[in-house]
């Protein structure tokens, strides 16, 4: 489990995360949601010690995060960061194999066990035939699958993902999140799409301006009133017969324009 208690983070003299707490559960997914600048990525980066806390504490499987070595952190927490265009031009196999470094010294790195793990992970994410393709030649969705395969061979108990669906089309968004769900790991994932977060996450943490506004099940967190308050858009929460929920949005400006247009027609 990852347990964060009242963590605060300062960046450039400003408090960007203020007394935030969360606790993961085995084989469950927590979604971190909120508008731009809410502190979502900051919270995620703090959970794997990429950023230091100003106050509060984080424990991983009972041990204080600050007391763990970088290698120990990597053995317990794997990270799928946002895909950027600056990836090194490595063959897919070599890029995936980097996940084994936390378990191996350089002398033992790349043995038969490592190669078998890499082969299985590549097959698991559906990238057979891509082993020798350079990562710089991959699409965004393919690169996300490479990073998830790397996380698989890292064999950590926790998986943290920062906007894994960013810049992906609808098909690849679902493909990536289906893959993550099938891994059955303890996950914390930052998502912008509230409908995807509602569908794929067991619990949600809604942030706004560095503070938790609400946390818990999607039905309790994603109410129309709360979404309007935090995101400053009008919305309607629809419930389908299969149990899924869907949020439909409209901007406040558009609603005012529609009201004005309707009033003008009535007056005429």
């Amino acid at each position: 489990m990852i347990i964060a208690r009242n963590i605060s983070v300062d960046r450039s003299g400003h408090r960007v995360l203020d007394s935030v707490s969360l606790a993961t559960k085995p084989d469950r997914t927590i979604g971190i949601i909120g508008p731009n600048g809410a502190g979502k990525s900051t919270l995620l980066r703090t959970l794997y010690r990429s950023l230091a806390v100003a106050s509060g504490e984080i424990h991983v499987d009972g041990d204080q995060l600050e007391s763990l070595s970088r290698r120990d952190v990597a053995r317990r927490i794997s990270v799928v960061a946002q895909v950027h265009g600056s990836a090194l031009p490595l063959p897919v196999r070599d890029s995936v194999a980097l996940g084994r470094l936390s378990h191996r010294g350089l002398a033992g790195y790349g043995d038969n066990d490592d190669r078998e793990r890499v082969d299985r992970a590549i097959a698991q994410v559906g990238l057979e035939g891509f082993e020798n393709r350079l990562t710089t030649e991959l699409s965004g969705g393919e690169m996300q699958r490479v990073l998830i395969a790397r996380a698989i061979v890292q064999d950590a108990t926790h998986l943290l993902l920062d906007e894994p669906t960013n810049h992906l089309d609808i098909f690849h968004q679902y493909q990536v999140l289906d893959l993550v769900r099938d891994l059955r790991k303890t996950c914390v994932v930052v998502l912008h799409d509230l409908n995807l977060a509602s569908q794929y996450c067991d619990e949600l943490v809604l942030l706004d301006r560095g503070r938790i506004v609400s946390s818990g099940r999607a039905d309790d967190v994603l109410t129309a009133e709360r979404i309007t308050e935090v995101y400053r858009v009008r919305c309607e929460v629809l419930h389908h017969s299969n149990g899924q929920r869907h949020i439909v949005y409209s901007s406040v400006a558009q609603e005012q324009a529609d009201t004005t247009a309707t009033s003008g027609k009535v007056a005429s």
Side-chain angles (χ1 to χ4, degrees):
M1 291 178 60
I2 297 177
I3 299 176
R5 295 190 180 96
N6 298 317
I7 59 173
S8 297
V9 176
D10 297 332
R11 302 189 70 178
S12 302
H14 299 284
R15 178 137 296 184
V16 293
L17 213 60
D18 192 0
S19 300
V20 171
S21 299
L22 65 78
T24 64
K25 297 177 182 177
D27 302 329
R28 308 279 281 180
T29 297
I30 292 180
I32 303 175
I33 58 175
N36 291 342
K40 302 183 295 299
S41 293
T42 296
L43 173 56
L44 197 78
R45 293 177 64 188
T46 304
L47 295 180
Y48 61 93
R49 215 172 68 189
S50 176
L51 292 175
V53 298
S55 60
E57 56 185 19
I58 301 170
H59 289 81
V60 183
D61 296 332
D63 295 319
Q64 193 164 11
L65 181 62
E66 290 185 355
S67 72
L68 299 174
S69 69
R70 288 292 182 184
R71 174 166 285 192
D72 284 335
V73 173
R75 286 172 175 169
R76 302 187 193 196
I77 301 173
S78 55
V79 179
V80 177
Q82 293 188 46
V83 174
H84 298 290
S86 56
L88 292 174
L90 293 175
V92 165
R93 180 186 294 280
D94 292 346
S95 184
V96 172
L98 290 175
R100 296 302 298 158
L101 283 174
S102 60
H103 296 274
R104 302 285 191 179
L106 289 178
Y109 176 66
D111 64 10
N112 286 336
D113 180 60
D114 284 346
R115 288 194 291 272
E116 290 174 0
R117 287 174 180 268
V118 169
D119 287 341
R120 286 197 299 269
I122 288 174
Q124 191 171 349
V125 301
L127 286 177
E128 302 99 321
F130 284 71
E131 291 87 349
N132 297 317
R133 183 91 57 91
L134 294 179
T135 53
T136 49
E137 299 172 352
L138 301 178
S139 69
E142 289 164 349
M143 190 61 206
Q144 283 289 21
R145 283 186 281 165
V146 169
L147 296 178
I148 292 171
R150 184 188 298 175
I152 292 172
V153 302
Q154 191 173 331
D155 200 26
T157 52
H158 304 83
L159 176 60
L160 309 186
L161 305 102
D162 193 359
E163 298 184 32
T165 60
N166 197 24
H167 304 306
L168 301 184
D169 61 35
I170 296 172
F171 172 80
H172 287 100
Q173 288 177 16
Y174 279 94
Q175 185 182 54
V176 165
L177 291 177
D178 282 337
L179 176 59
V180 169
R181 182 171 56 186
D182 290 343
L183 295 178
R184 300 192 179 281
K185 287 184 177 288
T186 303
C187 296
V188 182
V189 54
V190 172
L191 288 170
H192 269 298
D193 190 312
L194 301 186
N195 286 308
L196 288 176
S198 174
Q199 184 173 347
Y200 283 93
C201 299
D202 301 296
E203 297 180 18
L204 298 175
V205 174
L206 174 59
L207 296 176
D208 188 25
R209 286 174 277 189
R211 289 178 172 268
I212 293 180
V213 176
S214 180
S215 63
R217 296 171 58 252
D219 283 341
D220 299 323
V221 174
L222 295 178
T223 64
E225 294 78 13
R226 187 170 289 122
I227 293 170
T228 297
E229 176 186 355
V230 172
Y231 289 88
R232 297 182 294 281
V233 295
R234 303 295 185 190
C235 74
E236 183 179 0
V237 181
L238 307 177
H239 294 269
H240 299 285
S241 58
N242 62 2
Q244 289 189 4
R245 58 207 313 279
H246 185 76
I247 304 168
V248 180
Y249 308 95
S250 64
S251 70
V252 175
Q254 182 61 50
E255 187 172 279
Q256 291 172 342
D258 292 342
T259 301
T260 301
T262 302
S263 299
K265 290 180 180 178
V266 173
S268 61

